[in-house]
Amino acid sequence: MQIVKLYTRKRCPLCEQAELVIEMIQEESLFQYEAIDIETSDDLTERFGLMIPVIEVDGEILQYGQVDYVTLSEKLSGENDK
């Protein structure tokens, strides 16, 4: 089963929107979801600070910034078909 990671931080409207998109897609596709607050790690803050929200699956960044439901849904559904 895939693990979808959402790199986020508090008080981030785009992050909240991305979380809602992931939750909607999770109703249709099978995957585990994990939210990671980048402010808990200097390394994560340096790596993703200007990009959040960031959605990563199997080490690959699928989307960042504005998360698009259709694009993300297609990518996650396509991965599940393999």
Side-chain angles (χ1 to χ4, degrees):
M1 179 179 293
Q2 292 180 328
I3 298 175
V4 175
K5 295 181 181 180
L6 171 64
Y7 294 95
T8 184
R9 71 166 38 123
K10 295 178 180 103
R11 297 175 303 281
C12 170
L14 287 176
C15 299
E16 293 170 9
Q17 183 181 6
E19 190 167 11
L20 290 174
V21 169
I22 289 172
E23 289 171 358
M24 288 190 305
I25 295 170
Q26 197 170 31
E27 294 175 5
E28 306 162 0
S29 300
L30 201 59
F31 59 85
Q32 290 182 326
Y33 161 63
E34 179 182 359
I36 301 166
D37 184 349
I38 66 168
E39 293 180 344
T40 62
S41 162
D42 289 340
D43 182 52
L44 291 176
T45 299
E46 184 177 326
R47 185 173 171 202
F48 296 122
L50 299 175
M51 297 171 59
I52 64 164
V54 175
I55 297 176
E56 179 183 275
V57 177
D58 299 328
E60 177 187 354
I61 294 175
L62 296 183
Q63 285 192 321
Y64 62 91
Q66 290 280 353
V67 174
D68 174 59
Y69 174 86
V70 173
T71 303
L72 187 59
S73 179
E74 288 174 355
K75 288 182 179 181
L76 291 174
S77 295
E79 289 292 325
N80 286 336
D81 294 339
K82 290 183 180 177

